[in-house]
Amino acid sequence: MKKYVIVVAGGKGLRMGGDIPKQFIPIKGKPVLMRTLEAFHAYDDKIELIVVLPVEQQAYWKRLCADYGFTLPHTVADGGETRFHSVRNGLAQVKEDGLVGVHDGVRPFVSREVIASCYDAAAEQEAVVPVTDVVETIRRVEPDGQSETVPRDCYKLVQTPQVFTVGLLKQAYRQVYVPRFTDDASVVEALGHPVYLVKGNRENIKLTTPFDLRVAEVLADAE
């Protein structure tokens, strides 16, 4: 079955406190986005890689690829106004039926086992997301400022790649955008289609803050 992954990399790095977009920041001598693409290539060297980047960052990415000798074949699609629009632009590059994953460009430490679990399950369930357990106590805060503890066993932390059959995801992304579409699963659920959960890996963090970069250095050392 044909496999694709749309790697969404539209971050501006503002919470990192620097000028370099977070997907281009080097971790142990290699930009984050390259590490992410290599993770999917290591899972399946036939998977079709689609990178979604803001137009104004594409020339810089091309220079980075030349500077680092990065030669993995991939297609670049234009980023959109929101993540929803960026994924829809990436989907336009998907030409055949099969399975398509959507992954955050700044999650370079997704394990090969998790990627395989997501694609394998999607072949049967059509819509799959990896999740991890909530390990800390959580409280729900009401608009009036009151709060209460809620049972953490009822909640999961959602990761990527979120993997779907191509036909289902394309149908979902023909819907009109609404703000509640915060990830691909929420778009698919709006069609009334259930989403199946598989176990993620704790190392599959989204690099967002300077602290995350320090964690990433440790994870890269352990590879």
Side-chain angles (χ1 to χ4, degrees):
M1 184 178 289
K2 180 74 173 179
K3 296 174 186 174
Y4 303 85
V5 62
I6 299 168
V7 178
V8 184
K12 296 180 173 58
L14 298 179
R15 279 176 284 182
M16 288 295 186
D19 296 328
I20 302 175
K22 55 191 177 182
Q23 60 269 21
F24 302 142
I25 294 174
I27 301 294
K28 294 295 179 182
K30 185 181 296 182
V32 168
L33 183 55
M34 292 180 188
R35 288 182 171 274
T36 301
L37 294 173
E38 287 175 347
F40 283 87
H41 182 76
Y43 154 67
D44 183 346
D45 61 8
K46 300 294 193 300
I47 196 168
E48 190 163 322
L49 305 171
I50 301 167
V51 179
V52 184
L53 282 169
V55 173
E56 63 272 17
Q57 294 179 5
Q58 291 177 14
Y60 182 68
W61 169 244
K62 186 175 181 179
R63 289 198 302 273
L64 277 181
C65 290
D67 291 345
Y68 284 84
F70 185 76
T71 58
L72 283 188
H74 61 279
T75 300
V76 176
D78 294 345
E81 180 182 354
T82 67
R83 187 182 190 279
F84 175 93
H85 297 94
S86 291
V87 173
R88 190 163 65 185
N89 290 348
L91 269 174
Q93 303 299 319
V94 175
K95 306 301 184 184
E96 301 177 31
D97 288 335
L99 299 174
V100 55
V102 183
H103 189 68
D104 297 320
V106 290
R107 289 186 187 268
F109 299 110
V110 59
S111 72
R112 190 179 310 183
E113 293 75 18
V114 167
I115 297 173
S117 293
C118 290
Y119 279 88
D120 290 348
E124 299 291 333
Q125 304 293 339
E126 296 189 311
V128 174
V129 300
V131 298
T132 59
D133 293 334
V134 177
V135 296
E136 299 186 41
T137 299
I138 56 176
R139 294 183 68 83
R140 180 174 59 230
V141 179
E142 303 295 343
D144 64 0
Q146 297 295 312
S147 67
E148 64 176 350
T149 299
V150 294
R152 64 187 176 195
D153 290 346
C154 296
Y155 297 88
K156 298 290 184 182
L157 302 177
V158 177
Q159 300 181 332
T160 64
Q162 301 186 5
V163 184
F164 310 87
T165 57
V166 168
L168 175 61
L169 196 61
K170 285 197 170 187
Q171 179 186 0
Y173 272 88
R174 285 195 287 268
Q175 298 177 99
V176 175
Y177 169 74
V178 294
R180 72 173 182 274
F181 291 161
T182 56
D183 67 353
D184 311 287
S186 61
V187 182
V188 168
E189 284 174 329
L191 293 177
H193 197 288
V195 173
Y196 183 79
L197 306 182
V198 299
K199 185 177 180 181
N201 64 295
R202 288 287 300 276
E203 299 86 357
N204 185 18
I205 61 173
K206 187 175 183 180
L207 305 182
T208 305
T209 69
F211 175 78
D212 299 330
L213 287 181
R214 293 196 292 273
V215 174
E217 295 283 343
V218 174
L219 293 173
D221 275 337
E223 290 182 332

